[in-house]
Amino acid sequence: MSFGQGGASWGPGDGGTPDWAALADQSAARARRKRLLMIGGGVLATVAIGAIVTTAVVTSNDNGRNKADKSASQLPAPAELPEETSAPAPSFSSVAPPPPPDPKQYISSAEKDKAPVTVDGFYPGKRLAMGDRLYLKGATSSSAKCATGTQGALGTVLTNNGCTQLLRATYRKDGVAMTVGVAVFATEARAKKAVDQASGGLASLSGEGVGAFCRGGTVCLRTSNSYGRYAYFTIGGFENGKRVTTADNAVYAVNKDLTNFTFRQIHQRGRTQASQAAAAPNG
């Protein structure tokens, strides 16, 4: 005969003594089932909480989009631009502006070259700087009788071609002295012809700290050129009277600087008058 109460069992023949091993197994089994139920409940609770959070996030996002859509729908409509305007459209002239005057035109003939011709205008100041080279200016002269500042046949050539003025200036540097002269003509053609026919040379100009040089048959460097209605000449050498040879680079360097400077001065004369003509009301 056996009775079951609370899962315990007693069997006949055991003298009414409980089966302690069976009871222990039953108790352990009940404890395992309880733990599994508790663990399973925790998982379900976690899933439920996750679902709640997900629903809240989705709902929040939906509310944000609804608010954004609502805000966008409440923005004012863009302003309508007028299709036509009564303001006149910009217009451009089809006539091209005249080109600026050519500076050379204003130094090629006396008709346009109206600026005063003076020795100080061509050779201003007491010194001349060309790069890092400095020249001291000596005596200067200006004469309407061009032959008075020449040697040999050059005076006759200048006079026959209608020279109206001869300007001269002397410069010196490191024992080298050189006189540069500008002969003025009515036209560019006369100036070129004078250079082509040139014979003899310019007379050196001493004074203002420069002694006589390139006189008495001393060999010196002579050059001639023209630009516009101006012919320009040089004569230079050593202040001590030493003859000039092709190996004397110092003399050639001085000649190059003075002729370049003279050319620039003539060209600047044309540029100045061309600019003034362009700025004039009827220019």
Side-chain angles (χ1 to χ4, degrees):
M1 177 177 180
S2 63
F3 302 91
Q5 182 179 3
S9 66
W10 291 268
D14 54 10
T17 303
D19 186 351
W20 299 109
L23 290 174
D25 292 339
Q26 293 175 3
S27 178
R30 286 194 301 271
R32 283 195 300 273
R33 286 196 298 271
K34 185 176 181 179
R35 283 198 299 273
L36 289 173
L37 289 174
M38 291 180 66
I39 293 173
V43 171
L44 292 175
T46 302
V47 172
I49 293 173
I52 293 172
V53 172
T54 303
T55 302
V57 171
V58 171
T59 303
S60 176
N61 289 340
D62 289 342
N63 291 338
R65 281 196 297 272
N66 292 336
K67 290 180 180 179
D69 294 341
K70 184 177 181 182
S71 299
S73 65
Q74 294 176 352
L75 292 176
E80 295 184 358
L81 298 177
E83 296 182 358
E84 297 182 357
T85 177
S86 59
S91 60
F92 301 94
S93 174
S94 60
V95 180
D102 182 4
K104 196 168 184 293
Q105 294 180 358
Y106 290 85
I107 54 172
S108 295
S109 69
E111 293 180 358
K112 284 194 172 183
D113 190 3
K114 299 296 186 180
V117 179
T118 64
V119 66
D120 288 334
F122 275 91
Y123 304 104
K126 295 294 183 181
R127 298 180 179 183
L128 171 63
M130 295 292 286
D132 59 352
R133 301 171 299 282
L134 182 64
Y135 299 92
L136 299 178
K137 189 169 74 173
T140 62
S141 71
S142 176
S143 176
K145 296 180 179 181
C146 299
T148 58
T150 65
Q151 299 183 80
L154 182 60
T156 302
V157 171
L158 298 182
T159 302
N160 291 343
N161 284 285
C163 177
T164 59
Q165 193 173 359
L166 179 64
L167 314 175
R168 288 185 297 164
T170 296
Y171 290 89
R172 61 188 176 92
K173 179 182 182 295
D174 300 333
V176 175
M178 188 163 295
T179 298
V180 57
V182 177
V184 185
F185 297 87
T187 65
E188 180 179 16
R190 288 181 176 269
K192 286 183 176 180
K193 188 176 180 180
V195 171
D196 292 340
Q197 297 176 347
S199 178
L202 195 68
S204 63
L205 182 63
S206 59
E208 300 292 332
V210 180
F213 65 99
C214 293
R215 295 293 181 97
T218 304
V219 177
C220 289
L221 176 64
R222 296 177 181 178
T223 64
S224 60
N225 211 329
S226 69
Y227 183 53
R229 70 186 188 108
Y230 300 92
Y232 50 99
F233 307 87
T234 63
I235 182 168
F238 295 102
E239 291 186 83
N240 61 8
K242 176 186 173 182
R243 68 190 303 268
V244 177
T245 69
T246 56
D248 293 318
N249 295 328
V251 178
Y252 284 87
V254 174
N255 178 80
K256 181 179 179 180
D257 280 345
L258 291 183
T259 54
N260 283 345
F261 178 74
T262 301
F263 172 84
R264 294 177 190 176
Q265 290 293 88
I266 298 172
H267 184 68
Q268 182 59 42
R269 179 182 178 87
R271 289 181 60 185
T272 299
Q273 294 182 90
S275 298
Q276 293 172 349
N282 297 325

